[in-house]
Amino acid sequence: MPCPPVPAAVPRQEGAVAAPRPAVVPGTTDHPVPPEHVVAYPRPRDGLPAVTDSPAALAAAAHALATTGTGPVAVDAERASGFRYGQDAYLIQLRRDGVGTVLVDPLSAGSLTTLAQAMSQPNWVLHAADQDLPCLHALGLYPPGLFDTELAARLLGRDRVGLGPLIEDTLGLRLSKDHAAADWSIRPLPPSWLVYAALDVEHLLDLHQALGEELERAGKAQWAAQEFEHLRTRAPRQTRPDPWRRVPHAGKASRSPRSLAVLRELWTAREELAAELDLSPSKVLPHQALVAAAVYRPTSRRKMGSLREFSSRQARQHQERWWRAIERALTLPDADLPPTRAPLGPGELPRPRSWRRHHPEAATALEQVRQALHARSTAVRVPQELLLAPEAQRRIAWDIGEERHDHLRRQISTAEVCQRLEAAGARPWQVEQTAAAIATSLSR
């Protein structure tokens, strides 16, 4: 089958508009672009591209990205968090030198196989990649390599790492961020939203170049490369046990197993209905209603309906479902009630706030680890949680604390800390930057 013709340019809905250029000398961590020199950047320089919303348009765009485009490809995705069930992508924004900006509607563009092939060679540039990669993976899109501008900024010790502030401080341009929390599942998408979406990738490549050069000058380029590869290849996060316990303010119901059962049954019923309706769970029934029912444990439909949190039209629409869930919880045998303490997942440690009372040696070790990392974090200008993941901090402190409790040790060497950090998943640069300081602190 012959390849589709290479378009002369991505179709445009509007003519190009004059737009300011990024700062000739990019701002840095120590010398950001002064606020008085930042200029507004309201519209895409090349005009707003037409949405790629058909298989034919997608084939042409994918062909252009693969054959005409050069260098890395900037990538972003828009979801409908808070509106739809799950975290699906409802718009994909791409930009590559030689092609310009491409806006892909995954709902109407057909199979993304050709796009996945076109994007399987160039490295990707994203901002806060951990937010977008899962929904892109679900569409069969996987980066061969990536550069995360947010992560790069954090490694450089930037105070402002959001995309808008980062572009202001580095490139001297101010973008509109009016539609960050919009419902991107609606169709057609308003032109102002598409402008916002296009601007999200318009400057990612310039930002990538500026931050990459600063990482090189700071001696942190290899640190960043290791973090980017870890982010690209890490396995999906495992679902924690009892996700219903994470309802906001659920602690109000934690004193009673029966109340927790009400919370669990209502949460499960809400999830099932939200999935059926393709709505965010909080749109189906507010979090406050789950907690109120768990606390008050109404014993009839009337009493449930008298709760203020169940008086809205939204709650009354499915009141029979909610009552059946509450009724199940109220009639459960005691043996089937959930425990008041959340069970630990495989390999999961108790919460550190309980260590001082139940595991004092581990609590002391954790304080020593954190003190060492705080000093090292200040020295290398990297946030403490990025210098070493909190889970790795807790793991080494817990293991050392347990050994101290059993009188198995008094001193710990740098080599041993290195081994423990590697086993906890620390990257080589993290081990190199923290092992000696942690060993010294734990040996006091």
Side-chain angles (χ1 to χ4, degrees), residues 423-444:
R427 270 69 75 197
W429 79 270
Q430 294 175 319
V431 176
E432 179 185 83
Q433 292 298 319
T434 65
I438 290 174
T440 299
S441 184
L442 288 172
S443 297
R444 288 174 185 162

Side-chain angles (χ1 to χ4, degrees), residues 21-23 33 37-40 167-174:
R21 296 283 183 180
V33 175
H37 292 168
V38 175
V39 295
I167 288 177
E168 289 183 20
D169 293 344
T170 308
L171 304 179
L173 303 173
R174 181 177 296 112

Side-chain angles (χ1 to χ4, degrees), residues 139-437:
L139 294 171
L141 304 175
Y142 295 88
L146 66 82
F147 185 104
D148 186 330
T149 53
E150 182 194 55
L151 191 47
R154 294 177 64 209
L155 283 167
L156 288 168
R158 296 281 185 109
D159 293 327
R160 298 177 1 127
V161 298
L163 181 59
L166 193 55
I167 288 177
E168 289 183 20
D169 293 344
T170 308
L171 304 179
L173 303 173
R174 181 177 296 112
L175 309 183
S176 170
K177 303 299 289 182
D178 294 340
H179 306 297
D183 179 4
W184 290 88
S185 68
I186 70 169
R187 293 297 183 272
L189 289 168
S192 62
W193 294 20
L194 295 174
V195 167
Y196 162 88
L199 291 179
D200 265 1
V201 292
E202 177 123 347
H203 300 291
L204 273 183
L205 299 179
D206 290 332
L207 194 59
H208 159 249
Q209 181 175 349
L211 295 177
E213 291 173 354
E214 188 176 352
L215 285 167
E216 288 282 359
R217 294 192 299 270
K220 296 179 177 179
Q222 281 303 310
W223 301 7
Q226 292 173 29
E227 286 302 301
F228 299 156
E229 185 63 8
H230 170 72
L231 178 58
R232 187 185 74 87
T233 59
R234 75 181 180 192
R237 292 187 177 94
Q238 293 184 341
T239 302
R240 295 182 61 184
D242 294 354
W244 50 270
R245 292 181 185 267
R246 298 200 298 277
V247 170
H249 308 296
K252 296 177 181 178
S254 63
R255 295 192 181 99
S256 164
R258 187 70 61 183
S259 290
L260 289 176
V262 172
L263 181 67
R264 180 182 64 187
E265 294 302 319
L266 267 179
W267 182 91
T268 302
R270 186 180 70 167
E271 285 291 306
E272 292 171 351
L273 182 58
E276 291 174 19
L277 301 176
D278 189 20
L279 289 174
S280 170
S282 63
K283 293 284 185 184
V284 174
L285 188 67
H287 301 313
Q288 304 95 301
L290 274 64
V291 175
V295 171
Y296 294 108
R297 302 204 297 270
T299 55
S300 68
R301 290 179 184 83
R302 183 185 62 80
K303 290 182 178 179
M304 180 193 75
S306 69
L307 294 174
R308 177 174 54 84
E309 293 81 1
F310 282 82
S311 63
S312 67
R313 182 184 63 83
Q314 174 187 2
R316 293 197 308 269
Q317 187 175 2
H318 302 283
Q319 63 179 345
E320 185 59 28
R321 186 183 290 247
W322 311 137
W323 169 245
R324 289 199 304 267
I326 294 173
E327 191 175 38
R328 280 195 303 272
L330 295 178
T331 57
L332 277 175
D334 288 349
D336 294 336
L337 298 177
T340 54
R341 290 183 179 274
L344 298 176
E348 187 178 2
L349 298 173
R351 293 184 178 182
R353 66 186 182 191
S354 70
W355 291 11
R356 179 56 62 191
R357 183 168 65 255
H358 300 293
H359 309 279
E361 293 87 355
T364 298
L366 184 58
E367 289 177 3
Q368 293 171 323
V369 169
R370 287 173 171 172
Q371 288 170 2
L373 291 176
H374 176 73
R376 194 69 194 136
S377 169
T378 302
V380 299
R381 301 180 68 178
V382 172
Q384 188 166 324
E385 71 277 6
L386 184 54
L387 188 60
L388 186 63
E391 178 58 31
Q393 299 177 34
R394 293 191 290 267
R395 173 54 61 186
I396 189 171
W398 179 267
D399 291 345
I400 294 298
E402 291 292 282
E403 292 169 10
R404 286 175 174 173
H405 177 76
D406 296 334
H407 306 290
L408 296 178
R409 71 160 59 254
R410 291 296 180 185
Q411 298 293 320
I412 182 169
S413 68
T414 298
E416 184 178 348
V417 172
C418 288
Q419 293 175 350
R420 290 176 182 269
L421 292 179
E422 290 168 359
R427 270 69 75 197
W429 79 270
Q430 294 175 319
V431 176
E432 179 185 83
Q433 292 298 319
T434 65

